[in-house]
Every structure is written in C-alpha cells, then in structure tokens.
Amino acid sequence: MNTMKNMGNMMKQMQKMQKQMMKAQEELKEKTVEATAGGGMVTVIASGDKRIIDVKINEDVVDPDDVDMLQDLILAATNEALKQVDELVEQDMGKFTKGMNIPGMF
C-alpha cells in the first residue's frame, strides 16, 4: 500500500515538474540575446527559442568590394547569438535535469 502512495506522490511531482518546464520553455521565447561582430559593426538578436529576430549592419561595413568580410561578420554574430541562446536554455532548463541522467534531455 505504501508503494502505491509513493508512486502517486512521484507522479504528482513529475506532473508539477512538467508544468514548470513548459512554463520555462514559454518564458524562453520572450527572452533575447544580442551578439556583435566586427566591433559592433554587425549585431544579431535572437530569441530564446532560436529565432533570429533582428540583424543590424552598420553602413560603414558595407563594402561592395569586400562582401566576404560582411558575410563573415554576419555569420560570426549569428553563431555567437545561437551559442548564447544555448547557454540561456541550459541555465533556464538545466535546473530541471540536474542530477537526472536522462539521455536526450537538454
């Protein structure tokens, strides 16, 4: 009988954790990160659910004779923004998986 009660309590805890995780995932969508490259010549803003929200390019870096540099700056800023999103997700969602060894979870 005690085992059934423990299972019930465990299920309630799992449901509570699931609701908290869903709320945290929704909150991530509202958070943003900002990354720059080229000393601020290119700025990329991304949401916590890995959507690129904005790309800002300083007109001084737009050189028709050096498109490769502009592309590299955009790529660098975008990759840094996505790295920051991964860190944000780990920070926000990692608290749910600490101490658990669940393959495939964050």
Side-chain angles (χ1 to χ4, degrees), residues 38-106:
M41 289 293 169
V42 173
T43 302
V44 173
I45 300 172
S47 67
D49 61 345
K50 292 190 177 182
R51 288 181 304 115
I52 303 301
I53 296 172
D54 197 8
V55 176
K56 298 175 185 169
I57 301 171
N58 185 309
E59 65 183 44
D60 294 338
V61 79
V62 180
D63 180 354
D65 296 326
D66 196 1
V67 174
D68 287 342
M69 182 185 69
L70 179 56
Q71 290 170 337
D72 288 345
L73 291 175
I74 293 169
L75 190 60
T78 301
N79 284 329
E80 177 60 26
L82 293 177
K83 179 180 163 232
Q84 288 181 26
V85 170
D86 285 341
E87 291 169 0
L88 181 67
V89 169
E90 176 60 36
Q91 178 185 328
D92 284 9
M93 301 302 289
K95 60 188 167 206
F96 295 109
T97 58
K98 270 193 177 104
M100 295 180 163
N101 190 10
I102 303 172
M105 287 290 287
F106 307 104

Side-chain angles (χ1 to χ4, degrees), residues 14-52:
M14 292 294 285
Q15 288 173 342
K16 182 179 177 184
M17 185 193 300
Q18 185 178 20
K19 285 180 184 175
Q20 290 173 336
M21 285 177 69
M22 289 173 64
K23 182 179 180 202
Q25 286 173 328
E26 286 299 315
E27 289 172 353
L28 275 170
K29 292 179 183 178
E30 303 301 319
K31 294 182 179 181
T32 61
V33 298
E34 181 176 304
T36 62
M41 289 293 169
V42 173
T43 302
V44 173
I45 300 172
S47 67
D49 61 345
K50 292 190 177 182
R51 288 181 304 115
I52 303 301

